[in-house]
Amino acid sequence: MTTADHLDRAVADPIGLITDLVADAEKALDADTIRAVVTAVVGGRAKSRQLAKALAMRPAVLTDGRSPAPRAIGDLLIELRKVGASAITAPVCAECGKQLRTLQRKGQDWFCSVCGQETAECTTCGNVRRVGFRDRKGLPRCKMCPDIDERDPVTVVHDLITAITPDADRDAIAEALRHTAPHRPTYRQRLVWALEENPRLLTGEGHLAPHRAILKFIDLLHEAGVAGIVRPVCPRCRRVVRIDKPLDGQRVCRNCIAKSRIEECVRCGARREPATRDDEGRPLCPNCLVNDPANVEVCIGCGKRRRVQNRTSDGPLCPNCCPLPILVCSICGRTAPGTHSRLTGLPRCGGCDRRQAHCTSCGRLRGIHSGTAEVPICGHCTAPDAELWRPCPTCGEAERLRSSGPCPRCTLKQRLHELLANGSGAIPPKLQALHEALANTERAATGLRWLSGGIVSTVLSDLGSGRRLLTHEALDELPEGKVVEHIRSVLVASGALPTRDEQMVRLERHVKDLVTSHATAEGRKILHRYATWHLLRRLRRRSRGKETTYYQLQVARQHLRAGVYLLNWLEGQNLTLATCRQTDLERWMTSEDARLRQEAGHFVRWALAQKIARDLSFPAERWNGPSQPMDDEARWATARRLLHDDTLKPEDRLAGLLLLLYAQWPAAISRLTIDHIEETDGAIRLRLGAVPVELPAPVAELALQQVEVRRSHAVLGRTDSTWLFPGGQPGRPISAWAMGERLRKLGIRLAQARSTALFQLATELPAAILARTLGIDITVAVKWQRAAAGDWAAYAAEISRRKKDS
């Protein structure tokens, strides 16, 4: 293997390369032992790559032990010798050639303790000797001339502090001094000398401290409650934070150090502190470092090669698999998974991290970084730092730009104009509303990601250039999927396309595909008649101009598939509906191949009515009441929890109560609008059927709260709609399936809970009142009345009593 191959492997597999190079030189140790030593010595990824590159360039260092070489190679040689390596030599001194057991370095060279010591002229005796000490002024002294101070350090510091605070506790000062440098008495002595020279270090000038231990000493005194001691501020940003980084003769915080090292990344153009440098010494920002293909690793959570977010004892974790710590959000006060803001250092939950609101300081719609949920403050108003918030070269607004180009909002507008503009460079009038809706979306970054994914950019470009007509039929020619559905919903919400019943269109498309796929011409003719003139016609009549629901679509599909299954079986038996007899039908019903038997009964009865079949009998099953057990206690227990548990979302609580108290299916709940809620004479009424029902106070409060806080989950093309439960697509309500899933997560068993509620209501109300108030068919209400054996006399007595009281 060539040196170039070794260098490539030093990036992809540094531990393996080092192990192989050592194994080639040392035959006495097995590969597992060598790998264990290498893993213990090299540590992190950067150090392991540096060591692997150095060994790939000069593997002879393993057998000669000579520098120049990184310190990690010397440590590796020493550790290999400890575990019994014989061919591997110990590191040797660059001057005298002595084998070393510990390392001292000057640059890239290794020296022994004799050759590596510094020599200088002693300040006291004038002899040129090895430097043994440095006095209080930092001047060198030999071992024969130590700077001896016989005074007690605690006494000296106590005298300095009592000059500031006469009542200072000596024991507290002694304890703080001892913890400042517990194992280095000479260092404590230097601290005392520095404080003696400049006592103002304790009263606010700590940024001038010559030793970092002075800052720790000040913090310990402050924690001990010693009055008069002032924690220093960073001389650049004026924040009271940890300042232990030297810069231009002062101690500054880590953020100011990062700002002083800002360079432009050669890959993305972001102006940040470099995280590393490339082979040519050019700076790379942290984002480019972690996203470099050479640095991605296999996540132990999902098994995919992704950038590393966190490292555990078991291996690396990607951002999606890395669990977030549970923190108390500094903005909304919730205890939830979150992170610490890089701008303020305070904890922030995921919801507040993604939330955008109008800043109460500047009034702009931006991301929230501080304040509270009621009084949000954007990042620019939180920390108006010119280094962080630079003006966008296009719009001039101050943004936290990570590159030299325009801000995300301007980039989104430019990209939309490129896609939607026609040949003359102008956006067609029909697409102007779409352009405005997408350009003004709350999250510009989300809009950019949406435009770059799937076929979105291709479809919008075709619509803008005129290559594809702006019609529903033109979009129907595209492959089915959620991306096309969302494009259509955005176009409808922005007014570029008219609304249409999408569920009905899906059903018509499904009918066409299922009918044309049947084998025989006679079967296709029968299925077409059944689907078009029975299923679709009845569905349109029952919808009464309203959009078809998901459950209605599923029922029609099941009925049609049941007819297909029966016809397929008849064809396999060389039979048709006209030649099929009762014995044949019963043979199919009792066979293992029979599917959707009850739905097939609808098809057979329709065929009999249409004179397509004869001499067949498939009676309908009579409904004799609910088949699932009633559990009224569990129903009321769940209702009480929804009424009083403030930790649940208001929309989930309201939807659950509408099911438990008023027997409303998720399909009916999802299609409620704010117009269904009426407020008259101080009473809140909800119109579920022809006659509105008055809501009790707790449910009424939840309904009014939902009207106020309802918010569409659509990120792109969001519009103001009247839906009480907005969905994930703009201008659309939440789907019945999604509503059902949310209720199931609350522990509500939908069919059982509705049957229990409807059974209880049917015992208390006449069928006519039940149908008018709940919005159900009168025949359904009558059946439930009979199943519940309701007593109208009790209801009539209650109405009579109300009239007398009034």
Side-chain angles (χ1 to χ4, degrees), residues 275-538:
T276 187
R277 296 184 181 273
D278 61 11
D279 296 336
E280 300 178 9
R282 298 176 300 177
L284 291 176
C285 70
N287 192 51
C288 292
L289 173 65
V290 298
N291 288 293
D292 192 294
N295 293 332
V296 298
E297 299 182 34
V298 177
C299 173
I300 61 173
C302 60
K304 298 180 181 178
R305 290 187 61 84
R306 306 188 65 181
R307 73 178 181 89
V308 179
Q309 177 72 16
N310 192 16
R311 295 185 182 275
T312 66
S313 57
D314 298 327
L317 289 172
C318 69
N320 289 346
C321 299
C322 183
L324 295 176
I326 305 300
L327 304 171
V328 179
C329 180
S330 60
I331 298 177
C332 65
R334 293 192 308 123
T335 301
T339 58
H340 286 82
S341 170
R342 288 181 291 180
L343 193 65
T344 63
L346 299 175
R348 184 171 56 173
C349 67
C352 292
D353 187 24
R354 296 184 296 269
R355 187 167 67 94
Q356 291 195 343
H358 289 280
C359 175
T360 55
S361 180
C362 65
R364 294 181 58 192
L365 181 66
R366 309 182 72 170
I368 300 305
H369 287 262
S370 63
T372 62
E374 294 75 19
V375 186
I377 301 177
C378 68
H380 183 266
C381 296
T382 300
D385 191 334
E387 291 291 339
L388 291 176
W389 309 95
R390 295 182 291 116
C392 170
T394 302
C395 64
E397 294 288 347
E399 297 286 348
R400 196 173 185 180
L401 301 179
R402 301 186 182 276
S403 63
S404 56
C407 65
R409 179 72 58 187
C410 294
T411 304
L412 175 61
K413 292 180 179 179
Q414 293 174 6
R415 180 59 177 156
L416 285 171
H417 191 275
E418 294 172 1
L419 294 176
L420 299 178
N422 54 23
S424 61
I427 298 177
K430 290 185 177 180
L431 296 177
Q432 286 286 353
L434 174 65
H435 178 271
E436 293 297 324
L438 294 178
N440 295 324
T441 185
E442 289 186 0
R443 303 174 188 170
T446 303
L448 288 171
R449 286 195 299 271
W450 186 67
L451 293 177
S452 62
I455 61 173
V456 176
S457 59
T458 303
V459 174
L460 295 184
S461 178
D462 291 345
L463 293 176
S465 61
R467 293 189 296 269
R468 185 179 298 276
L469 296 178
L470 186 58
T471 60
H472 283 291
E473 291 72 18
L475 294 181
D476 290 339
E477 298 174 358
L478 296 171
E480 293 186 34
K482 291 186 177 181
V483 177
V484 177
E485 289 182 13
H486 201 85
I487 294 175
R488 190 193 307 273
S489 65
V490 172
L491 290 170
V492 171
S494 61
L497 284 178
T499 59
R500 74 172 185 179
D501 191 345
E502 293 298 329
Q503 299 286 11
M504 181 62 72
V505 173
R506 291 192 186 97
L507 180 58
E508 292 173 349
R509 189 183 300 123
H510 179 74
V511 166
K512 181 180 178 180
D513 295 340
L514 202 59
V515 170
T516 55
S517 64
H518 194 68
T520 65
E522 182 65 23
R524 289 194 294 271
K525 181 180 178 180
I526 294 174
L527 290 174
H528 181 267
R529 287 178 60 186
Y530 178 59
T532 304
W533 300 106
H534 180 67
L535 295 179
L536 295 180
R537 183 183 179 186
R538 184 177 62 173

Side-chain angles (χ1 to χ4, degrees), residues 14-150:
I15 301 294
L17 176 60
I18 298 170
T19 302
D20 292 345
L21 292 175
V22 174
D24 291 341
E26 178 58 58
K27 306 300 183 182
L29 298 178
D30 59 273
D32 292 338
T33 303
I34 296 174
R35 179 177 287 272
V37 174
V38 171
T39 304
V41 170
V42 299
R45 181 173 56 189
K47 186 177 179 181
S48 64
R49 288 179 175 177
Q50 180 188 19
L51 176 56
K53 289 181 179 179
L55 286 178
M57 294 297 296
R58 197 171 79 87
V61 69
L62 295 171
T63 55
D64 61 27
R66 296 192 174 277
S67 55
R71 180 186 179 92
I73 291 184
D75 295 334
L76 178 62
L77 297 179
I78 292 174
E79 293 302 321
L80 288 173
R81 297 282 295 182
K82 288 181 180 180
V83 297
S86 57
I88 302 296
T89 185
V92 297
C93 177
E95 286 190 8
C96 65
K98 175 184 176 182
Q99 290 191 351
L100 306 176
R101 289 182 294 178
T102 59
L103 288 178
Q104 297 184 66
R105 288 199 309 161
K106 289 182 180 179
Q108 290 289 311
D109 290 321
W110 304 328
F111 291 92
C112 63
S113 59
V114 176
C115 301
Q117 287 192 354
E118 178 187 5
T119 59
E121 181 180 346
C122 178
T123 305
T124 302
C125 64
N127 295 322
V128 178
R129 295 176 178 175
R130 297 173 187 165
V131 177
F133 310 96
R134 290 190 178 272
D135 60 14
R136 65 190 66 192
K137 295 181 180 180
L139 299 177
R141 292 194 181 196
C142 65
K143 290 186 178 181
M144 304 301 295
C145 306
D147 189 358
I148 300 175
D149 191 346
E150 300 291 346

Side-chain angles (χ1 to χ4, degrees), residues 132-170:
F133 310 96
R134 290 190 178 272
D135 60 14
R136 65 190 66 192
K137 295 181 180 180
L139 299 177
R141 292 194 181 196
C142 65
K143 290 186 178 181
M144 304 301 295
C145 306
D147 189 358
I148 300 175
D149 191 346
E150 300 291 346
R151 299 175 300 171
D152 181 15
V154 176
T155 302
V156 176
V157 175
H158 181 258
D159 293 341
L160 293 174
I161 295 178
T162 51
I164 303 171
T165 305
D167 299 332
D169 186 359
R170 179 185 175 89

